[in-house]
């Protein structure tokens, strides 16, 4: 971080304090309040962190007003159209686009780590068949700390590197096996002659009874979906991973915490909730009723896949996803998909409504992704596991960045206490 050249002055009750201001390479300036409590005895107050920068980072930049998303400076729409997921993984992890030799080496390392320890098969079998695949992923990823002891020492750069590769490589196998277990089909093992997205599709949809040919349209769409979900600055699940890591927890435990946080319907669970909402709406004529419900303060219903803490303009990922939805459904010959029709009409109706326009609520990454995933053959319960699979590289990149930060401290926020002041215990006979 550059040395501060300006100060902000905070004044209260006749006292004032100087706080350094830091300027970024892009985005808002920040007021450095690290010395505030020591100087003034005051806390700041920001539940939900709406005005708080929790760290400095060089990985991803979002401009919510412009609807801009950059990974190491490269715009997401260029990466989605010109790059592919493992190259984006390299970019997020190491900061630069790889040379051909670097990319070949990286892809080879990932490919050769896709298998799971065979003893983990028993771990899967401990779940009920109707367990949500996200419940299985949280459990299995957390359990990796018990299977891969040789990459849990975070003070060893080599072990950090191995854990990173293992997590990126094994997440598709874990997600696919969670799906297979859920539907009662045998596990399909990864193959080293398939690319990352094709491997995942085959592990999800192949059965021993017949050969499985990966449809190149589906693997390209799958790879693009992975890229669009790879990282997103300090969102809730990434912040969870950073907070867990700040205590020195091992990488598998930290990523399991991120998966747990992502599962919520306000975050990564929104893609499943969005498709279920579109199905519930069912037909275009029901849209006004649901728009009215979303606007009704007394109704907890919200348009899932709409709105965003940062984007107050279009989510650039939603734009790419919408184009991809049209392409994939067309190429798959899915004529007039009613869910896509409802989604497009719902988007148009919401964006024409002052409530959504005034609150700057636009479709986010979760609005169209479910339509593509459903057309590809995935049940809604697999939508968030696919989000978790994709976001693992973002969580790991941010985890590595934080561990390399010499200023890293354990995250320990304070509070505005509104409870009882001290009082004496009352014996039960006197209550
Ligand atoms: C992801 O942070 C990230 O980067 C996340 C993510 C990533 O890649 O990691 O982008 C992935 O999580 C995308 C978001 C997925 N969630 C949803 O689609 C769920 C529906 N959206 C909302 O719950 C909401 O928009 C959030 C949670 C996404 C954002 O919530 P905020 O920023 O805390 O905003 P808010 O709840 O304070 O809402 C502001 C106003 C409120 O009205 P008022 O109280 O001001 O009158 O807008 C309203 C809200 O009621 N509002 C909505 C709405 N979203 C916000 N009203 C109807 N429908 C909605 N979807």
């Amino acid at each position: 971080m550059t040395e501060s050249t300006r100060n902000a002055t905070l004044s209260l009750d006749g006292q004032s304090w100087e706080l350094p201001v830091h300027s970024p390479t892009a985005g808002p300036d920040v007021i450095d309040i690290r010395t505030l409590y020591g100087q003034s005895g005051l806390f700041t107050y920001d539940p939900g962190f709406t005005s708080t920068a929790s760290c400095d980072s060089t990985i991803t930049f979002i401009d919510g007003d412009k609807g801009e998303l950059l990974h190491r400076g490269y715009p997401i729409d260029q990466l989605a159209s010109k790059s592919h997921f493992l190259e984006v993984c390299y970019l997020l992890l190491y900061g630069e686009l790889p040379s051909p030799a670097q990319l070949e080496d990286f892809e080879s390392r990932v490919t050769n780590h896709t298998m799971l320890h065979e003893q983990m098969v028993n771990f899967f079998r401990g779940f009920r068949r109707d367990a949500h695949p996200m419940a299985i992923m949280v459990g299995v990823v957390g359990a990796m700390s018990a299977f891969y002891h040789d990459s849990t020492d975070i003070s060893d750069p080599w072990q950090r590197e191995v854990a990173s590769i293992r997590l990126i490589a094994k997440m598709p196998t874990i997600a696919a096996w969670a799906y297979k277990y859920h539907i009662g089909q045998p596990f399909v093992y990864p193959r080293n002659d398939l690319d990352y997205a094709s491997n995942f599709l085959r592990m999800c949809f192949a059965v021993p009874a017949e050969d499985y040919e990966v449809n190149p349209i589906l693997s390209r769409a799958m790879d693009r979906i992975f890229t669009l979900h790879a990282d997103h600055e300090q969102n809730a699940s990434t912040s969870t991973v950073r907070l867990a890591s700040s205590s020195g927890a091992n990488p598998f435990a930290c990523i399991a915490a991120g998966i747990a946080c992502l599962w919520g319907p306000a975050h990564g669970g929104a893609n499943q909730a969005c498709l279920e909402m579109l199905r519930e709406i069912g037909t275009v004529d029901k849209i006004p009723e649901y728009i009215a419900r979303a606007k009704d303060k007394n109704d907890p219903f919200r348009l899932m896949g709409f709105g965003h803490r940062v984007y107050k303009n279009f989510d650039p990922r939603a734009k790419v996803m919408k184009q991809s939805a049209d392409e994939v459904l067309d190429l798959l010959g899915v004529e007039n998909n009613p869910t896509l029709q409802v989604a497009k009409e719902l988007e148009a109706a919401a964006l024409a409504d002052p409530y959504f326009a005034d609150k700057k609520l636009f479709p986010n990454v979760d609005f169209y992704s479910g339509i593509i995933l459903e057309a590809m053959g995935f049940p809604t319960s697999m939508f968030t596991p696919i989000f978790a699979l994709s976001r693992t590289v973002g969580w790991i990149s941010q985890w590595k960045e934080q561990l390399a930060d010499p200023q890293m401290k354990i995250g320990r926020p304070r509070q505005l206490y509104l409870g009882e002041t001290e009082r004496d215990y009352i014996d039960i006979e006197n209550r």
Side-chain angles (χ1 to χ4, degrees), residues 164-222:
S164 303
I165 297 294
R166 276 175 165 158
L167 279 158
I168 292 166
K170 297 178 192 304
M171 212 48 107
T173 311
I174 292 169
W177 284 17
Y179 173 54
K180 284 301 202 186
Y181 186 75
H182 187 60
I183 60 176
Q185 287 187 0
F187 294 148
V188 175
Y189 286 73
R191 290 179 55 93
N192 291 351
D193 59 348
L194 291 177
D195 65 70
Y196 193 85
S198 302
N199 228 342
F200 176 63
L201 290 170
R202 183 176 171 280
M203 287 190 283
C204 287
F205 297 124
V207 289
E210 58 190 23
D211 291 339
Y212 177 82
E213 278 298 308
V214 179
N215 178 333
I217 299 162
L218 296 190
S219 61
R220 179 67 196 131
M222 190 79 265

Side-chain angles (χ1 to χ4, degrees), residues 325-379:
D326 280 326
E327 270 170 40
V328 171
L329 294 182
D330 184 42
L331 289 167
L332 290 174
V334 180
E335 301 296 331
N336 309 320
N337 177 301
T339 314
L340 180 58
Q341 209 46 44
V342 169
K344 288 183 172 179
E345 294 291 330
L346 177 63
E347 176 192 351
L351 295 183
D353 187 304
Y355 172 92
F356 295 90
D358 296 347
K359 293 180 187 294
K360 300 184 186 299
L361 302 174
F362 291 89
N364 58 49
V365 69
D366 295 309
F367 191 68
Y368 284 103
S369 56
I371 291 163
I372 303 173
L373 294 171
E374 185 188 52
M376 295 170 80
F378 290 104

Side-chain angles (χ1 to χ4, degrees), residues 232 266-267 302-303 305-306 308-309 317 359 364 391:
H232 212 238
H267 190 14
R302 286 190 163 185
L303 284 191
F306 246 79
H308 199 278
R309 170 61 58 75
R317 302 167 298 176
K359 293 180 187 294
N364 58 49
R391 185 53 56 88

